[in-house]
C-alpha cells in the first residue's frame, strides 16, 4: 500500500478523522470566537488526536499501535463484557452459579417483600428431564382387560 494512502486505510481511519476534526473545529473556533461549543469540540478532537499519536509511538501493545484510538473501544468493551452479557444477552434462567430469577427471590426475601411471581412459571415444563423422574408416567396405569372364558 502506498504511504500516501496509509492514513485512509481502515486501521488508521479513526486517527485521520480525529486529526481532520481537530483542524476543522479549530478553524471554526478561530472564525467564531464566541462559540463555546466549537472550543469544546476542538478540545475533544485534539485530545483524541493526541491519544492516537501516543498509540502510534508506544511499544508494548501491538493492538494500540496498529489500530490507534479504535483499540481503546475494544478494551472498554472487554472491561464491560460481564455487565453487557448479564443485562442484555443472558436470560433470567441462564446465570451461573445462580440464575437472575433465583437471585431476585433472595433479594426480595431479604427486603421482606413479596417473593413469589404470579401467573405461572417461566420454566419449560414440557422438556424431558435428564434425571428420569419426570419421564415416568404420572397417570394411573389401567388394569389389563380380562375376558370371560
Amino acid at each position: 500500500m502506498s504511504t500516501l494512502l496509509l492514513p485512509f486505510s481502515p486501521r488508521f481511519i479513526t486517527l485521520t478523522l480525529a486529526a481532520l476534526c481537530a483542524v476543522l473545529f479549530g478553524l471554526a473556533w478561530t472564525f467564531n470566537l464566541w462559540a463555546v461549543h466549537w472550543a469544546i469540540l476542538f478540545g475533544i478532537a485534539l485530545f483524541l488526536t493526541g491519544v492516537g499519536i501516543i498509540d502510534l509511538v508506544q511499544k508494548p501493545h501491538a493492538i494500540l499501535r496498529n489500530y490507534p484510538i479504535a483499540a481503546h473501544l475494544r478494551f472498554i468493551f472487554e472491561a464491560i463484557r460481564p455487565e453487557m452479557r448479564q443485562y442484555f444477552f443472558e436470560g433470567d434462567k441462564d446465570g451461573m452459579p445462580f440464575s437472575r430469577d433465583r437471585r431476585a427471590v433472595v433479594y426480595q426475601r431479604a427486603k421482606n417483600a413479596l417473593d413469589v411471581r404470579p401467573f405461572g412459571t417461566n420454566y419449560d415444563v414440557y422438556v424431558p428431564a435428564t434425571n428420569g423422574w419426570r419421564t415416568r408416567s404420572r397417570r394411573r396405569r389401567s388394569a389389563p382387560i380380562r375376558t370371560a372364558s
Side-chain angles (χ1 to χ4, degrees), residues 36-94:
V36 177
H37 63 279
W38 291 121
I40 293 171
L41 291 173
F42 173 68
I44 292 171
L46 196 63
F47 172 75
L48 288 175
T49 304
V51 167
I53 291 171
I54 290 171
D55 287 345
L56 281 176
V57 297
Q58 58 87 29
K59 298 289 183 195
H61 296 284
I63 293 175
L64 288 175
R65 191 170 47 251
N66 288 327
Y67 299 96
I69 301 173
H72 290 283
L73 290 175
R74 176 182 185 247
F75 295 140
I76 290 170
F77 287 140
E78 269 185 3
I80 63 171
R81 180 178 181 261
E83 290 85 2
M84 295 283 286
R85 182 180 171 101
Q86 180 181 5
Y87 291 110
F88 296 118
F89 305 119
E90 192 174 76
D92 285 343
K93 312 287 184 232
D94 298 335

Side-chain angles (χ1 to χ4, degrees), residues 90 101 119:
E90 192 174 76
D101 197 29
F119 304 111

Side-chain angles (χ1 to χ4, degrees), residues 97-108:
F98 301 105
S99 66
R100 178 182 296 276
D101 197 29
R102 291 187 181 173
R103 191 172 59 238
V105 168
V106 171
Y107 291 156
Q108 287 168 344

Side-chain angles (χ1 to χ4, degrees), residues 16 25-26 32-33 36-37 48 64 70 74 90 97 127 130 140:
T16 305
F25 294 149
N32 191 0
L33 293 175
V36 177
H37 63 279
L48 288 175
L64 288 175
R74 176 182 185 247
E90 192 174 76
V127 173
T130 56
R140 186 175 152 202

